[in-house]
Amino acid sequence: QVQPVESGGGLVQAGGSLRLSCAASGRTFSSYVMGWFRQAPGKEREFVAAITWNDRTFYADSVKGRFTISGDNAKNTVYLQMNSLKPEDTAVYYCAVSVARNIATTPYEYDFWGQGTQVTVSS
């Protein structure tokens, strides 16, 4: 009943920044998690960051200190600010929604997925 839509991907040089947005349309839930995942060619889908309805956050070790997740409950929107980008950050980034009590870090725990947005970091 929720459809996430990502935006903000693009091409950026190493060391640059991008901000991804995810707007989730549809009904709201009293308890939910919105998360970001990424998948590069030939690799598994990887957890990046997540935020709960009450603003608890969690990050993968690979992005701690560089990425920041935040949300706007009034707009049902979550953001991923990505700084100090590296070529290894290149991937398709997906926004997902989980109807869950706790932080979820695996794809199987998420119920609704966006179409993905390409992020390419050149060296």
Side-chain angles (χ1 to χ4, degrees), residues 57-111:
T57 59
F58 190 78
Y59 298 91
D61 288 341
S62 60
V63 305
K64 282 183 178 178
R66 299 189 298 123
F67 292 8
T68 302
I69 189 169
S70 61
D72 184 337
N73 290 338
K75 297 192 293 185
N76 290 333
T77 300
V78 67
Y79 305 95
L80 185 68
Q81 178 67 46
M82 305 185 295
N83 298 327
S84 301
L85 284 162
K86 306 174 181 179
E88 50 263 47
D89 294 318
T90 295
V92 176
Y93 283 70
Y94 297 91
C95 176
V97 178
S98 173
V99 182
R101 294 184 298 153
N102 303 306
I103 289 288
T105 59
T106 67
Y108 304 100
E109 296 174 280
Y110 285 79
D111 304 290

Side-chain angles (χ1 to χ4, degrees), residues 1-2 24 27-35 51-56 73 76 96-104 109-112:
Q1 292 184 316
V2 177
R27 68 169 291 179
T28 58
F29 302 93
S30 60
S31 179
Y32 64 92
V33 177
M34 296 186 69
I51 185 168
T52 68
W53 63 274
N54 58 346
D55 291 332
R56 294 188 176 190
N73 290 338
N76 290 333
V97 178
S98 173
V99 182
R101 294 184 298 153
N102 303 306
I103 289 288
E109 296 174 280
Y110 285 79
D111 304 290
F112 309 102

Side-chain angles (χ1 to χ4, degrees), residues 6 9 20 36-41 44-46 48 88-95 113-120:
E6 306 97 331
L20 306 183
W36 289 96
F37 290 78
R38 65 188 183 186
Q39 188 165 22
E44 298 288 315
R45 188 164 296 189
E46 176 188 23
V48 176
E88 50 263 47
D89 294 318
T90 295
V92 176
Y93 283 70
Y94 297 91
C95 176
W113 291 83
Q115 78 288 346
T117 185
Q118 177 71 48
V119 172
T120 302

